[in-house]
Amino acid sequence: MIKKIFLFLILFLSLFSSHSFGELSFVQTKDVTSDTPGVRGINFKPDGKIMYITSRLKDSEDAYVVQYSLSTPFDISTATRSFNDGDGTQLACSTNMKLPHAIEFKPDGTKMFVATNKDFSGNPGVAIFQFKLTTAWDSSTLVCEKIYEVTETGVYVENQLRTLAFKPDGTRMFVGGKNTDKIRQFDLSNAWDLRSGVTPGEISDSLVTSDTSMRNIQFNSDGTALYIAGDTNARMNKYTLSTAYDITTLSSTFSTFDLGSRVNDMRGFIFAANFTKLFVTSDGETSATTDKIHEYDLQCAGTISCTDPSANADVKAIIEANVEMSKRVIRNNTLPIFHRIEWLRRHKNKDNLSNLNASIDFQNQKVAKLVSTFDAFKKERDRTYRSNDWFDWSEGRFVIGEKNVSNTSSRDIQNYGISFGTDRIDEDDRDLMYGYVFQFGKDDVDIGSNGSNLNTNTYSLAAYRTKIKDNDYFTDSIIGLSLLEIDHHRVINGNKLEGNRNGHQIFGSMNFGKRLHNKDINLNPGVKLEIGYTKLKPFNEKTILGSSLADALHYKDQNIKTAIATIGVLFDKTDKGEKDKEIINHHGRLEFIGDLSPSSNAEFYYLNNQSTIYEYESNNRSKYNYRIGYGIDRTSITGWSTVVNIERFGTRGGYYDEFYLSLGYVPIDEMKFSFELDEAINTSLKFSKKIDSFDFKISTDYNFFVDKPNYSTDLLLSNSF
């Protein structure tokens, strides 16, 4: 019942999400009537230790800027006037400014700009005053540099200018006002300087639908969102821009947050402290006791319109994709080993159990030392079937698939990898074979349609053993470790975020079965259990160039437990090719797979709001699955072998088509290859074969590292009597 109520609340709130800002937490209000009557615009020094308020005297409408010092950054309760300057520092050039509004600073504090909406005779007018501060961030040292009248062919664009904003590099200015409720942009030839080269630009559509009597504007950190406030209804409104800092690309829709009855007669606002704070000024026109500053905390810093990320389809799909990936890693590690074991059972009566036989010898001491740990590189090794021999094998795979599940974004999967293994017969028990395998894999998942994806590199090492018993009962076992490197990419509202996540995994598998012989076909019924534990480490999303941290998340560590049971049957049939020159083995599988894995819980929060923890539980959506497959291996009389497996793994809402290929050489009639590299970096390729009682050998020499290579070929046919 509680779950149903919770889901209903989520659905109900989602209906209003397009017109909701999320949570603004009110902190406090500071009454500044006695210090700064007639408050207007507000701004801060970036470190939060100085606050600036523009004001106008109610009797004369003369303009001032009042500077406050804050003992605690961005805490207005600790604000005190910086110096005893009466009404503040008067804003004037050749004459006094009237009715000031928005105030902006050059990032280094050496320039100050103030918007005004009356000329010097008290008539309607619009202008931007530019001041130089001889001491940075000290408003008492301001010197007038320029009055820029916002005109178009001699006609004021606005007769009540209220708003002012700049592009961060100072090359573009934005103004707006009460009369038209439109914003106009101006391009500056010289950054942060209105004295020359100001070019009027585009004008936005009317924004009267959000609120009337525009009071100020502010862009987010990357210019893809614009916040606008009006005092008619005391609302904060957010518009998005498809092109950063281009007001012609403003969206036609907007979201709104109502500041409510607390704010009477809004006069200005500023987001500060990296968008973790909002400050709003209010001024009662008819009362001398309502000059106030209101302080709010933003629940989701960087954006006032925070949403629950656990409800985002891409976020949910990313979490589920990590869980699915961890299962695929186990499956992709165990399947090549089982393919090898199955190959051993099909070929257990042959004199050689290796499907790879290219031996390499490096006489160059430095190179030889590097590869000396790999027994596979021994020169011209005797490959007869003996208990003290190691037999080498390899397998490559390519997997494609897709997953579509309701309430999350779809996933397109590509997975490929390669395995290198070696195994041998136990010296004391010839029914027992054991081995080791190293595997490298890549797992790429494209999520949704916005460009989100996960790219994972996996490095695995596993040990395995199998009993090849005369009574045809068999037991196979695998245990292994994997390291995971995940490149995380998420795109939301055009904002690109990335992160690097590491993880580790331990896995194991047991397979029990029996081989049933028939003159035409062999059957292998069996039961298999796979278990695993994956731990993904915590990580932070970070921005890609041109993006903001507004939607960036921190993901806590995540534990993923895997338990998969399989019951099925394998079959194989052996045929001989034309004139007994090749052996062809057909094989396949039909398996029912039960995914018994428990759900995995993921926790995350906005980087700019660590106090609110969100959760998403990745439930096991695919408990009942199947695998079907067909393969063929061909071994010719010349010794070359090819093994191909094509399989489909079916799961709820999706599938994986898997292609496995093994190419190698099975020594027949004591054929041997070797590749050598000597101290002089000369190379040689040697081939030998015993034909009846004769030894047939071919050797070639070639120097790859000279302008005119030298090479030779020697043929030798010998017999010992």
Side-chain angles (χ1 to χ4, degrees), residues 701-715:
D701 297 305
Y702 194 94
N703 192 337
F704 291 95
F705 302 96
V706 296
D707 294 333
K708 295 182 179 180
N710 300 316
Y711 57 88
S712 64
T713 302
D714 297 322
L715 285 80

Side-chain angles (χ1 to χ4, degrees), residues 270-306:
I270 186 72
F271 290 102
N274 295 319
F275 262 82
T276 63
K277 293 281 190 179
L278 171 66
F279 299 90
V280 179
T281 60
S282 62
D283 167 30
E285 292 286 353
T286 60
S287 173
T289 61
T290 55
D291 296 300
K292 297 177 181 179
I293 305 170
H294 310 279
E295 178 184 340
Y296 299 84
D297 282 338
L298 275 69
Q299 181 181 6
C300 301
T303 174
I304 197 173
S305 55
C306 84

Side-chain angles (χ1 to χ4, degrees), residues 12 16 91 123 155 289 359 363 391 465 500 589 615 625:
F12 178 81
F16 302 91
L91 301 175
N123 300 313
V155 179
T289 61
S359 115
Q363 297 180 17
F391 303 99
R465 66 192 296 274
N500 300 110
R589 67 180 65 242
E615 296 184 11
N625 313 284

